[in-house]
Amino acid sequence: MLDIKFIRENAELVKDGARKKRINVDIDRLLELDEDRRRLMKDSEQLKAEKNSASQAIAKLNGDEKKEAIAKMQTVSAKVKELDAELEGILDEFDSLMLQVPNPPDEEVPEGADDNDNMEIRTWGTIPEFDFEPLDHVELGEKLDILDIPRGVKLAGTRSYILKNEGVFLEYAVLMYALNQMRTLGFGPMIVPHLVKETAMIGTAYFPGGEEQAYSCERDGLYLIGTAEVPVTSYHYDEILEEKDLPKHYCGISPCYRREAGTYGKDTKGLYRIHQFQKVEQVVICKNDPEESAKQHEFITSNSESLVKALGLPHRVVLVCGGDLGQPQKKKYDIECWMPSRKAYGETHSSSKFYDFQARRLKLRYRDSEGNIQYCHTLNNTFVATPRILISILECNQQKDGSVVIPESLRPYMAGIEVIEPKN
RNA sequence: GGAGAGGUGUCCGAGCUGGCCGAAGGAGCACGACUGGAAAUCGUGUACUGGCAUCCCCAGUCGUGGGUUCGAAUCCCACCCUCUCCGCCA
């Protein structure tokens, strides 16, 4: 959510931002409603002021005088009610429009319609070439007896899977390695609720709009998180922090649940797009300052780059174009790791900068050095998400004999396993 | 699942027989005094949101939404949330 004042004073910028993001929202209508709203508020408030001072006086009156004054006030009250009713009608439309206005993207965000127009910023590593016919991760998983998709589907439907044997160790090794790195980078880890209230979903700007993507537990009014970003960013919901305590660096580790509604037929093979995965997520809460936000954004992005480097995975960083940005983001980098079976880079990380867009909804504020209340800025980035990252790890590290060599950095967490040998 | 208690400012906590209550008191924080410096002590200030182009003033907010009233933190109704005890259970 943006500040209406900001929209009023930067109408063209906001309109242009919406255009760049390919989001349709009637800013002119919003501004029109804003004017009506302020006019009605002013009128109503003036009457209320009259009423307030009159009722003070009434307390001191007696008899007929009092009766007269009361009668007079009743007509004023009626008028106030009329104005407020009119105001309420306007506010409904005003509020819903406000929730739809997208955060205008940064200047350097490229124009574009979808992920094909994302801009490659840098690449790392050399794309592996095999002197044998490489397998994809599904075939590898079966041969190594670490992945069983058919039985996962049997139990839980499409986009389900079962990791087993060394696959389990590999997944937890990735997570434990990530947690370890997070610690040295100064991020405080959190295990958070996986079921959250609607306020957290709205506060982080997943709702309204993303309801279809979330699993909901109707009976309890709770939603399964699609990322730890939701509970971790909401951690300080409705709080006023002290500037000296910022920035806050947190990381959440959690399973993530996504319905993937509307993606039928897309990425149907293997572990790329699934309903349930695990993730270590970086979250930053910092002060209201574009420079600081930009600095933190580069920081969390480079953190993840160093992780995939340590795993030895060839990857690239792309700057996400306007049309591929969500409503709340100011700017977003994706990190994409090489996935041999796709013969392409596949998104493994998503690094987002929000400014105060989420913080406004979350009532997440801080007191600055002058004692003024400010909305915080928030950012987040995947640190590692598995099993998607396993696609790269397995496929890039496969050997001619069908075995997979575990990256050096993961071995301390692998219970002594250095190579996963084929069983089938 | 059964029974009860409660939701007030950055935090804790009074008020709840309706009227200078946006709210006592304490903690915290800020500034000042004291000090070589600090602690302690003393003094002053300190809720949020919005309107106003913002020092002043005005409106709203004591879980949320309605209602009663000239006037509600205080009375009534509905909903949400939290806690305690019992039961069940990892």
Side-chain angles (χ1 to χ4, degrees):
Chain A
M1 180 142 53
L2 295 174
D3 187 356
I4 180 61
K5 241 184 209 163
F6 177 85
I7 299 175
R8 213 183 291 146
E9 286 160 14
N10 303 278
E12 286 314 309
L13 182 115
V14 173
K15 281 185 203 171
D16 195 55
R19 182 201 54 75
K20 199 170 180 181
K21 283 189 168 178
R22 312 288 204 264
I23 291 173
N24 237 335
V25 56
D26 195 342
I27 304 291
D28 288 324
R29 176 64 183 153
L30 178 68
L31 292 173
E32 204 178 292
L33 288 167
D34 175 46
E35 244 173 73
D36 291 347
R37 163 185 153 269
R38 283 188 294 159
R39 179 176 47 77
L40 284 168
M41 273 170 76
K42 225 171 177 177
D43 292 351
S44 162
E45 281 177 15
Q46 206 168 339
L47 284 180
K48 279 177 192 158
E50 244 174 74
K51 235 180 91 183
N52 286 346
S53 63
S55 67
Q56 295 272 5
I58 285 172
K60 295 178 187 107
L61 296 177
N62 285 306
D64 285 348
E65 257 185 320
K66 187 164 189 167
K67 271 186 196 159
E68 236 173 80
I70 288 175
K72 201 172 151 196
M73 273 308 97
Q74 277 167 333
T75 66
V76 176
S77 289
K79 221 181 272 176
V80 169
K81 257 190 189 159
E82 254 175 61
L83 284 174
D84 285 352
E86 200 182 333
L87 182 63
E88 208 176 320
I90 285 175
L91 279 179
D92 282 346
E93 194 186 344
F94 177 80
D95 290 342
S96 91
L97 271 174
M98 279 298 282
L99 282 176
Q100 291 171 42
V101 179
N103 206 354
D106 274 358
E107 193 121 345
E108 70 256 46
V109 169
E111 293 281 349
D114 54 40
D115 55 2
N116 293 313
D117 298 320
N118 292 345
M119 185 192 284
E120 186 174 285
I121 302 281
R122 52 183 172 268
T123 61
W124 182 93
T126 40
I127 290 163
E129 292 193 19
F130 302 95
D131 54 4
F132 55 92
E133 193 56 40
L135 303 176
D136 67 38
H137 67 280
V138 178
E139 296 164 321
L140 278 169
E142 276 168 23
K143 268 200 169 353
L144 302 175
D145 198 27
I146 61 173
L147 173 64
D148 188 338
I149 289 182
R151 287 197 181 85
V153 171
K154 187 171 74 177
L155 297 184
T158 151
R159 297 198 190 286
S160 301
Y161 61 95
I162 291 169
L163 273 184
K164 45 184 200 164
N165 301 324
E166 292 94 328
V168 173
F169 284 90
L170 187 55
E171 168 132 328
Y172 275 86
V174 165
L175 293 171
M176 276 316 295
Y177 173 73
L179 272 185
N180 233 8
Q181 293 306 109
M182 279 280 86
R183 185 173 164 80
T184 60
L185 287 163
F187 286 71
M190 289 188 189
I191 292 174
V192 288
H194 306 155
L195 281 162
V196 299
K197 294 191 218 161
E198 196 183 23
T199 47
M201 298 301 286
I202 293 175
T204 44
Y206 280 90
F207 291 0
E211 289 86 350
E212 288 296 300
Q213 178 71 334
Y215 288 99
S216 75
C217 301
E218 309 273 339
R219 277 199 299 181
D220 304 292
L222 296 171
Y223 300 86
L224 271 171
I225 56 173
T227 160
E229 165 198 346
V230 172
V232 176
T233 311
S234 303
Y235 182 68
H236 291 292
Y237 173 75
D238 198 18
E239 290 186 27
I240 299 177
L241 308 172
E242 296 294 331
E243 182 171 350
K244 66 173 162 55
D245 297 328
L246 300 178
K248 300 258 189 201
H249 288 144
Y250 296 129
C251 69
I253 178 167
S254 81
C256 306
Y257 302 94
R258 301 187 179 180
R259 291 187 66 235
E260 298 297 350
T263 63
Y264 308 114
K266 202 174 163 192
D267 306 317
T268 48
K269 186 156 174 89
L271 296 174
Y272 193 79
R273 189 175 297 279
I274 48 193
H275 289 306
Q276 175 190 323
F277 58 98
Q278 307 205 64
K279 187 151 67 92
V280 175
E281 177 83 0
Q282 310 173 69
V283 172
V284 179
I285 298 168
C286 72
K287 65 179 179 180
N288 195 322
D289 172 30
E291 238 174 81
E292 172 73 2
S293 250
K295 192 180 111 189
Q296 297 294 337
H297 196 202
E298 297 305 320
F299 178 57
I300 57 176
T301 304
S302 71
N303 288 346
S304 300
E305 288 178 70
S306 69
L307 179 129
V308 286
K309 281 177 194 168
L311 294 178
L313 301 176
H315 61 273
R316 64 171 191 168
V317 181
V318 300
L319 180 54
V320 172
C321 75
D324 198 27
L325 270 181
Q327 188 214 7
Q329 289 92 4
K330 201 77 196 156
K331 181 178 171 184
K332 182 161 98 171
Y333 295 115
D334 281 351
I335 299 174
E336 303 176 340
C337 289
W338 184 256
M339 300 181 178
S341 62
R342 296 168 74 92
K343 297 191 173 59
Y345 291 103
E347 179 187 330
T348 50
H349 296 72
S350 186
S351 181
S352 301
K353 180 174 80 170
F354 297 91
Y355 279 7
D356 59 4
F357 198 86
Q358 292 182 316
R360 282 180 183 280
R361 297 178 173 217
L362 286 168
K363 294 182 253 180
L364 170 50
R365 296 151 294 170
Y366 69 98
R367 206 178 298 279
D368 69 18
S369 49
E370 268 135 49
N372 297 315
I373 306 289
Q374 307 273 4
Y375 283 103
C376 299
H377 279 190
T378 62
L379 305 98
N380 63 62
N381 183 15
T382 318
F383 194 50
V384 77
T386 171
R388 189 182 276 189
I389 194 94
L390 302 190
I391 298 174
S392 283
I393 294 177
L394 292 171
E395 292 182 2
C396 289
N397 291 293
Q398 61 180 303
Q399 308 296 307
K400 194 168 187 170
D401 64 2
S403 66
V404 168
V405 176
I406 303 302
E408 206 70 57
S409 49
L410 296 180
R411 293 192 193 163
Y413 309 95
M414 282 298 292
I417 304 163
E418 294 182 0
V419 178
I420 308 179
E421 303 287 353
K423 316 286 187 306
N424 302 314

